[in-house]
Amino acid sequence: KQEVTQIPAALSVPEGENLVLNCSFTDSAIYNLQWFRQDPGKGLTSLLLIQSSQREQTSGRLNASLDKSSGRSTLYIAASQPGDSATYLCAASTGKLIFGQGTTLQVKP
Amino acid sequence: NAGVTQTPKFRILKIGQSMTLQCAQDMNHNYMYWYRQDPGMGLKLIYYSVGAGITDKGEVPNGYNVSRSTTEDFPLRLELAAPSQTSVYFCASSFNGQNTEAFFGQGTRLTVV
C-alpha cells in the first residue's frame, strides 16, 4: 500500500528566501511523482511532473527532484514571493494517484 | 476545452439521502479519479477508473459507488448519506496515468446534516 508523507506540515518564511519542501513515499514502483499547488477554497493546479526515469524537473523558480531508491522527492522554491503562499501537495502515481497531506506555505512580505 | 467539470458546486444533504456527484472531462483522458478532502488534510482517493467500463477502489471507498459508461463521464454516487461524508470532493483526469499530469475540477462542497 502506497503511503505518501510531506514534511513540514506548515512553513512560514520571509520574502526572498529559498526553501525546500519534502515528500516521501513507501512504494518505489511509481510511474511518476507530481507536485500540485492549492489555493484556499480552490482546486489543484499541476506544477511539475517527474517521470520515474527522471531525476529532476524545472519550471521557472521551481525545481523538483526525485530519488526513487530512497522514496523521496523535494520541491525547491527559489526567491520566494508572497504570491507563492498556498498549500503544496505531492502525489505518487502507480496508476492510483496517492497524495500526501500537504505543506501550507506562508511567505511574508 | 472546459477541462474537468464538476456539478454541483455546493450541496446540503440530510442524513440518509442519496445523491450523485457529476464529473465530466472533454480532454479524451482515459484515467479519472475521485477524491475527498477533509479540512486541513490532503486528498484521499475514493475510486478511480483507467477507462470506460473499468473502475477500482481507492483508499476510502466505503459508502460510495461509481460507474464509467463513457470516456467523458465518471459520476460518484453516495447512498444513505452520513455526517462523516461531509467533505469537499474533487474529480481529476489524466491521459494515461503514467507520464501525463492530472487535471482537477473545482470541487463539490458537500454537507450532510
Side-chain angles (χ1 to χ4, degrees):
Chain A
K1 176 188 172 186
Q2 179 73 275
E3 294 183 0
V4 180
T5 304
Q6 291 188 246
I7 294 173
L11 187 59
S12 181
V13 300
E15 181 177 5
E17 274 205 6
N18 302 322
L19 53 99
V20 174
L21 308 181
N22 296 294
C23 173
S24 62
F25 48 94
T26 55
D27 182 356
S28 62
I30 61 171
Y31 293 131
N32 64 64
L33 191 291
Q34 299 182 48
W35 284 92
F36 294 86
R37 169 182 173 140
Q38 185 178 31
D39 293 296
K42 303 291 186 182
L44 280 70
T45 301
S46 178
L47 296 173
L48 289 165
L49 179 150
I50 313 175
Q51 296 184 35
S52 61
S53 58
Q54 296 177 317
R55 297 284 292 182
E56 65 179 280
Q57 277 285 2
T58 298
S59 176
R61 295 182 294 108
L62 305 180
N63 176 276
S65 67
L66 175 64
D67 184 342
K68 272 184 56 176
S69 62
S70 66
R72 294 175 189 241
S73 177
T74 61
L75 179 67
Y76 176 82
I77 303 177
S80 59
Q81 302 172 357
D84 294 331
S85 298
T87 296
Y88 292 81
L89 298 113
C90 68
S93 177
T94 56
K96 293 183 179 183
L97 186 61
I98 303 298
F99 279 81
Q101 312 94 306
T103 294
T104 298
L105 172 66
Q106 182 185 32
V107 181
K108 297 179 180 178
Chain B
N1 286 353
V4 180
T5 302
Q6 291 184 239
T7 55
K9 288 185 171 52
F10 304 93
R11 183 72 185 268
I12 298 175
L13 274 184
K14 293 184 178 179
I15 294 171
Q17 286 185 324
S18 300
M19 77 163 294
T20 299
L21 281 65
Q22 301 291 345
C23 176
Q25 53 89 10
D26 61 358
M27 298 174 282
N28 200 32
H29 284 176
N30 294 303
Y31 281 58
M32 295 187 75
Y33 311 86
W34 272 107
Y35 294 90
R36 61 176 287 170
Q37 185 176 36
D38 298 324
M41 304 294 287
L43 279 71
K44 291 294 185 184
L45 181 65
I46 305 172
Y47 272 95
Y48 72 108
S49 169
V50 302
I54 306 169
T55 62
D56 204 353
K57 295 178 180 179
E59 302 168 283
V60 290
N62 292 345
Y64 306 94
N65 280 298
V66 294
S67 60
R68 183 98 183 267
S69 57
T70 67
T71 299
E72 294 78 18
D73 300 298
F74 191 39
L76 178 70
R77 178 83 176 162
L78 279 71
E79 304 282 0
L80 299 175
S84 61
Q85 294 177 306
T86 294
S87 191
V88 180
Y89 291 83
F90 288 102
C91 179
S93 72
S94 169
F95 181 68
N96 63 16
Q98 296 184 17
N99 56 11
T100 57
E101 64 187 319
F103 292 83
F104 278 76
Q106 288 302 298
T108 294
R109 187 174 297 273
L110 176 67
T111 302
V112 182
V113 297

